Amino acid sequence: MILLETILDDDKPILGICRGIEFLNVALGGTLYQDIPVQVKTKTEHHQTPPYDIPIMLEETELYGLLGEQKMKVNSYHHQAIKQLSPKLKAMAVSEDGLVEGVYMPEKKFVWAVQWHPEFSYQTDENSRKIFQAFVDSATKK
């Protein structure tokens, strides 16, 4: 929490992945579903086995601008999810059942977090590479 506060105060870039989106949301005042299968009535399988291809819809945000797509498939391997979104964050991607899959912090240079794992798919998925490149670019801009 102390490190997050310092990074946010210094407006350093953040890219949260899976537990990272959950931590960021809770640290900034949001809440979580602790167990999706128990707490959410959904037919969407968020705790998949390969090929991990859950469809998500992108909101009109910088992520949408970067990827140029309204829908995409991502790997999904989690049993927790954002319940109440922090008032400091905005959704940038949602699953077909309405769970938040990606967030950003509008007043910061680059604070993004995704529920999926682009580090698992960057070798075969251009969108995953673009997300990592956007993070690196934000860290190297003066």
Side-chain angles (χ1 to χ4, degrees), residues 60-71:
E60 294 207 19
T61 62
E62 290 179 7
L63 179 61
Y64 170 81
L66 174 70
L67 304 181
E69 299 182 30
Q70 286 186 314
K71 292 183 180 182

Side-chain angles (χ1 to χ4, degrees), residues 74-92:
V74 299
N75 52 49
S76 185
Y77 192 70
H78 59 101
H79 74 95
Q80 293 183 317
I82 290 175
K83 182 175 183 179
Q84 179 181 342
L85 185 61
S86 162
K88 296 179 181 180
L89 299 172
K90 300 285 184 203
M92 63 181 180

Side-chain angles (χ1 to χ4, degrees), residues 8-142:
L8 291 174
D9 287 346
D10 292 345
D11 202 11
K12 300 287 186 191
I14 294 173
L15 177 59
I17 295 174
C18 193
R19 190 171 291 138
I21 191 174
E22 297 163 5
F23 171 75
L24 186 65
N25 186 61
V26 170
L28 297 175
T31 62
L32 297 179
Y33 290 111
Q34 293 296 316
D35 194 4
I36 295 170
V38 172
Q39 296 177 279
V40 180
K41 292 183 182 186
T42 182
K43 292 182 180 179
T44 302
E45 180 55 56
H46 290 275
H47 196 264
Q48 298 175 326
T49 55
Y52 307 116
D53 58 354
I54 183 175
I56 63 168
M57 285 63 73
L58 303 181
E59 304 291 324
E60 294 207 19
T61 62
E62 290 179 7
L63 179 61
Y64 170 81
L66 174 70
L67 304 181
E69 299 182 30
Q70 286 186 314
K71 292 183 180 182
M72 62 185 281
K73 290 189 176 184
V74 299
N75 52 49
S76 185
Y77 192 70
H78 59 101
H79 74 95
Q80 293 183 317
I82 290 175
K83 182 175 183 179
Q84 179 181 342
L85 185 61
S86 162
K88 296 179 181 180
L89 299 172
K90 300 285 184 203
M92 63 181 180
V94 295
S95 59
E96 60 189 0
D97 60 2
L99 291 180
V100 175
E101 294 283 334
V103 299
Y104 72 107
M105 199 170 186
E107 70 273 4
K108 295 298 181 182
K109 171 172 71 171
F110 189 99
V111 175
W112 288 12
V114 297
Q115 188 68 71
W116 68 90
H117 291 270
E119 78 279 14
F120 291 169
S121 57
Y122 76 94
Q123 292 179 331
T124 58
D125 179 54
E126 180 67 23
N127 288 337
S128 295
R129 288 190 296 275
K130 286 180 180 179
I131 291 168
F132 284 121
Q133 190 62 57
F135 173 64
V136 170
D137 290 349
S138 72
T140 58
K141 285 183 185 175
K142 299 289 178 188

